[in-house]
């Protein structure tokens, strides 16, 4: 595995953590533009935001696919949730394994790193 993939994953996970903190469910379609009205998009920015939501949702399910300890390590590292304890003092090793496994899962889900 290339270190560049892990670095790209870290950047994506930092964006995911921000997305987690600002998540708002989609409440309906806007009707500002006839060109995008079928998709509920009214501007290029809306299209980019929808793309980001799709990627972050796929990354969220990829994290859910990890083993529970690995998912907890990812959530703790990126500040999504910090109530997990690692009684065997293996947090660093679990985090490394989680990143490596997440690269593989992301590739399977079609997330470009």
């Amino acid at each position: 595995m290339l270190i560049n993939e892990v670095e790209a994953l870290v950047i994506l996970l930092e964006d995911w953590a921000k997305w987690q903190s600002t998540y708002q469910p989609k409440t309906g379609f806007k009707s500002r533009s006839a060109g995008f009205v079928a998709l509920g998009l009214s501007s290029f920015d809306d299209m980019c935001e929808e793309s980001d939501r799709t990627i972050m949702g796929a990354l969220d399910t990829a994290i859910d696919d990890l083993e529970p300890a690995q998912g907890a390590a990812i959530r703790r590292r990126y500040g999504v949730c910090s109530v997990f304890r690692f009684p065997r003092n293996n947090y660093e090793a679990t985090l490394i394994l989680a990143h490596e496994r997440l690269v593989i899962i992301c590739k399977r889900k079609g997330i470009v790193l």
Side-chain angles (χ1 to χ4, degrees), residues 16-60:
W16 168 79
K18 291 176 192 170
W19 176 78
Q20 283 285 327
S21 67
T22 61
Y23 174 73
Q24 294 178 351
K26 190 172 183 179
T27 58
F29 294 106
K30 297 179 183 176
S31 59
R32 286 188 243 152
S33 172
F36 291 110
V37 76
L39 298 174
L41 306 172
S42 60
S43 68
F44 180 75
D45 290 336
D46 288 344
M47 186 175 65
C48 291
E49 287 176 16
E50 181 64 30
S51 174
D52 289 345
R53 276 192 294 271
T54 302
I55 292 169
M56 294 302 133
L59 184 58
D60 198 41

Side-chain angles (χ1 to χ4, degrees), residues 36-98:
F36 291 110
V37 76
L39 298 174
L41 306 172
S42 60
S43 68
F44 180 75
D45 290 336
D46 288 344
M47 186 175 65
C48 291
E49 287 176 16
E50 181 64 30
S51 174
D52 289 345
R53 276 192 294 271
T54 302
I55 292 169
M56 294 302 133
L59 184 58
D60 198 41
T61 59
I63 293 168
D64 289 341
D65 290 345
L66 292 171
E67 293 179 16
Q70 293 174 353
I74 291 289
R75 288 179 179 91
R76 179 178 173 189
R77 160 59 179 89
Y78 294 97
V80 173
C81 189
S82 61
V83 297
F84 301 106
R85 296 177 69 204
F86 293 87
R88 295 184 182 137
N89 293 327
N90 62 348
Y91 167 70
E92 291 83 11
T94 304
L95 185 61
I96 291 169
L97 288 173

